Amino acid sequence: QQQVKQSPQSLIVQKGGISIINCAYENTAFDYFPWYQQFPGKGPALLIAIRPDVSEKKEGRFTISFNKSAKQFSLHIMDSQPGDSATYFCAASKVISGSRLTFGEGTQLTVNP
Amino acid sequence: DSGVTQTPKHLITATGQRVTLRCSPRSGDLSVYWYQQSLDQGLQFLIQYYNGEERAKGNILERFSAQQFPDLHSELNLSSLELGDSALYFCASSPRASTGELFFGEGSRLTVL
């Protein structure tokens, strides 16, 4: 059962533009929403994460927006750079159950110079 | 470098064979997770071990098994291999059983011919 739906599947952005990736979840018990970044040949690495008690979290050029009522969250990458080209995965888990992260399908981001 | 080590990085084998993938977690991490990444199904959770005990099970086939040893390294055994088992297998670790952040290795790419 796919509990986290991610869109778009792929995204092409010009350097300096804003990249936006969206995720929707079904399980209202989820209480931890991370985004992972994966470069070719590497494993996913935590980029930024949010808990449902806040609506936004910003770390540098990366911002998570969270809408609890809509059961949606999104990743915004401001001033996108070619080095941001990677696959991005949203995920969700119920921390108390032991970090069984459920991942979205992934978004392949390409930032053109 | 996440600190999680996986071997082998690449493995080519034939249908019906058995392989073992090995994972050494970050120093001090007690939890080990196995994920399968295929092109059409994203990152699928297979199984989690915490301090030597199985903690959670996901979409792991009966032909697959895993264990975590006293030194906390883990092995994923895949038997009676089928073409559809070709995928990237990631190991991840975390300090505790109930934390959201996972640290992923670089994966073992299995090709079944």
Side-chain angles (χ1 to χ4, degrees):
Chain A
Q1 179 186 7
Q2 178 58 263
Q3 292 186 311
V4 180
K5 294 189 182 297
Q6 183 173 345
S7 63
Q9 194 172 23
S10 63
L11 181 61
I12 300 174
V13 175
Q14 292 299 118
K15 179 182 175 182
I18 302 174
S19 304
I20 302 175
I21 306 171
N22 301 299
C23 279
Y25 62 97
E26 300 172 3
N27 189 345
T28 55
F30 287 148
D31 59 5
Y32 176 72
F33 303 89
W35 284 90
Y36 279 76
Q37 181 187 54
Q38 183 181 24
F39 292 106
K42 301 292 185 182
L46 179 66
L47 183 63
I48 186 172
I50 197 168
R51 299 281 179 140
D53 54 343
V54 297
S55 60
E56 186 175 282
K57 183 174 181 180
K58 183 176 180 179
E59 290 184 2
R61 295 184 295 108
F62 301 91
T63 300
I64 297 180
S65 296
F66 185 81
N67 186 329
K68 188 174 182 178
S69 61
K71 294 188 288 184
Q72 295 176 347
F73 59 110
S74 60
L75 176 69
H76 291 64
I77 306 175
M78 310 300 290
D79 188 27
S80 299
Q81 299 296 312
D84 297 331
S85 297
T87 301
Y88 293 81
F89 293 94
C90 63
S93 73
K94 183 180 177 184
V95 173
I96 194 71
S97 72
S99 301
R100 183 174 171 165
L101 278 175
T102 299
F103 283 88
E105 301 93 331
T107 296
Q108 189 168 350
L109 172 65
T110 302
V111 182
N112 289 325
Chain B
D1 183 5
S2 68
V4 177
T5 303
Q6 289 188 246
T7 58
K9 290 191 182 302
H10 302 277
L11 191 56
I12 301 173
T13 189
T15 54
Q17 295 300 304
R18 172 189 171 96
V19 298
T20 297
L21 309 181
R22 182 188 168 99
C23 170
S24 293
R26 291 190 325 156
S27 177
D29 283 359
L30 298 178
S31 266
V32 169
Y33 309 76
W34 287 97
Y35 281 84
Q36 180 191 56
Q37 184 177 37
S38 54
L39 284 176
D40 60 347
Q41 291 198 343
L43 279 161
Q44 298 292 317
F45 169 72
L46 295 179
I47 197 164
Q48 178 200 359
Y49 281 83
Y50 175 74
N51 204 21
E53 300 291 325
E54 181 183 307
R55 170 120 178 146
K57 215 171 204 180
N59 302 320
I60 188 166
L61 300 172
E62 286 191 7
R63 300 183 286 107
F64 296 180
S65 65
Q67 55 183 326
Q68 185 180 27
F69 295 87
D71 66 353
L72 300 178
H73 91 272
S74 178
E75 293 182 356
L76 179 67
N77 300 295
L78 316 174
S79 61
S80 302
L81 286 168
E82 302 175 358
L83 296 178
D85 298 327
S86 296
L88 261 172
Y89 292 85
F90 284 104
C91 169
S93 72
S94 68
R96 300 172 293 278
S98 59
T99 179
E101 182 171 5
L102 301 185
F103 298 87
F104 283 82
E106 295 193 346
S108 292
R109 180 173 293 280
L110 173 66
T111 303
V112 182
L113 301 176

